Short mmCIF file of all heavy atoms in Angstrom, two decimals:
data_model
loop_
_atom_site.label_atom_id
_atom_site.label_comp_id
_atom_site.label_asym_id
_atom_site.label_seq_id
_atom_site.Cartn_x
_atom_site.Cartn_y
_atom_site.Cartn_z
N THR A 201 -15.68 -31.32 10.45
CA THR A 201 -16.69 -32.00 11.22
C THR A 201 -17.54 -32.96 10.35
O THR A 201 -17.67 -32.78 9.18
CB THR A 201 -17.67 -31.02 11.89
OG1 THR A 201 -18.44 -30.38 10.82
CG2 THR A 201 -16.96 -29.97 12.69
N GLY A 202 -18.09 -33.95 10.99
CA GLY A 202 -18.97 -34.84 10.35
C GLY A 202 -18.75 -36.32 10.68
O GLY A 202 -17.58 -36.81 10.54
N ASP A 203 -19.81 -37.04 11.04
CA ASP A 203 -19.66 -38.46 11.32
C ASP A 203 -19.30 -39.22 10.09
O ASP A 203 -18.79 -40.35 10.12
CB ASP A 203 -20.99 -39.03 11.91
CG ASP A 203 -21.16 -38.68 13.35
OD1 ASP A 203 -20.11 -38.40 14.03
OD2 ASP A 203 -22.29 -38.74 13.84
N GLU A 204 -19.67 -38.67 8.94
CA GLU A 204 -19.48 -39.40 7.65
C GLU A 204 -18.04 -39.13 7.13
O GLU A 204 -17.67 -39.74 6.15
CB GLU A 204 -20.55 -38.99 6.63
CG GLU A 204 -20.35 -37.63 5.96
CD GLU A 204 -20.67 -36.40 6.81
OE1 GLU A 204 -20.65 -36.48 8.06
OE2 GLU A 204 -20.96 -35.33 6.26
N VAL A 205 -17.33 -38.23 7.73
CA VAL A 205 -16.09 -37.73 7.10
C VAL A 205 -14.89 -38.59 7.58
O VAL A 205 -14.74 -38.78 8.77
CB VAL A 205 -15.87 -36.27 7.41
CG1 VAL A 205 -14.63 -35.75 6.72
CG2 VAL A 205 -17.10 -35.44 6.91
N ASP A 244 -19.87 -35.71 14.90
CA ASP A 244 -21.08 -34.96 15.14
C ASP A 244 -21.59 -35.26 16.57
O ASP A 244 -22.69 -35.82 16.75
CB ASP A 244 -22.13 -35.15 14.15
CG ASP A 244 -21.82 -34.60 12.77
OD1 ASP A 244 -21.29 -33.44 12.75
OD2 ASP A 244 -22.03 -35.25 11.76
N SER A 266 -14.98 -26.56 8.99
CA SER A 266 -15.90 -26.76 7.83
C SER A 266 -17.03 -27.76 8.23
O SER A 266 -16.72 -28.68 8.96
CB SER A 266 -15.21 -27.19 6.61
OG SER A 266 -14.80 -28.56 6.68
N GLY A 267 -18.21 -27.51 7.72
CA GLY A 267 -19.32 -28.43 8.01
C GLY A 267 -19.93 -28.10 9.38
O GLY A 267 -19.38 -27.35 10.21
N GLY A 268 -21.15 -28.68 9.55
CA GLY A 268 -21.70 -28.66 10.90
C GLY A 268 -22.31 -27.30 11.22
O GLY A 268 -22.62 -27.02 12.38
N VAL A 269 -22.51 -26.42 10.32
CA VAL A 269 -23.07 -25.14 10.66
C VAL A 269 -24.46 -24.92 10.02
O VAL A 269 -25.06 -23.84 10.19
CB VAL A 269 -22.18 -23.85 10.32
CG1 VAL A 269 -21.02 -23.84 11.29
CG2 VAL A 269 -21.71 -23.92 8.88
N SER A 270 -24.95 -25.91 9.29
CA SER A 270 -26.28 -25.68 8.68
C SER A 270 -27.32 -26.09 9.80
O SER A 270 -26.96 -26.35 10.96
CB SER A 270 -26.47 -26.55 7.42
OG SER A 270 -26.07 -27.87 7.68
N GLU A 274 -27.71 -32.64 13.45
CA GLU A 274 -26.35 -33.07 13.74
C GLU A 274 -25.32 -31.95 13.70
O GLU A 274 -24.16 -32.23 13.80
CB GLU A 274 -25.99 -34.21 12.75
CG GLU A 274 -26.85 -35.46 12.82
CD GLU A 274 -26.92 -36.00 14.23
OE1 GLU A 274 -25.82 -36.13 14.87
OE2 GLU A 274 -27.95 -36.40 14.63
N ASP A 275 -25.83 -30.72 13.48
CA ASP A 275 -24.84 -29.72 13.32
C ASP A 275 -24.62 -28.95 14.64
O ASP A 275 -25.36 -28.05 15.00
CB ASP A 275 -25.34 -28.66 12.26
CG ASP A 275 -25.34 -29.39 10.81
OD1 ASP A 275 -24.54 -30.24 10.63
OD2 ASP A 275 -26.20 -29.04 10.05
N GLY A 315 -20.00 -27.05 4.66
CA GLY A 315 -19.38 -28.38 4.46
C GLY A 315 -19.12 -28.77 2.99
O GLY A 315 -18.15 -29.48 2.71
MG1 MG B 2 -21.97 -32.28 8.70
#
Side-chain angles (χ1 to χ4, degrees):
T201 66
D203 279 342
E204 78 284 24
V205 181
D244 287 318
S266 72
V269 287
S270 48
E274 298 304 319
D275 294 328

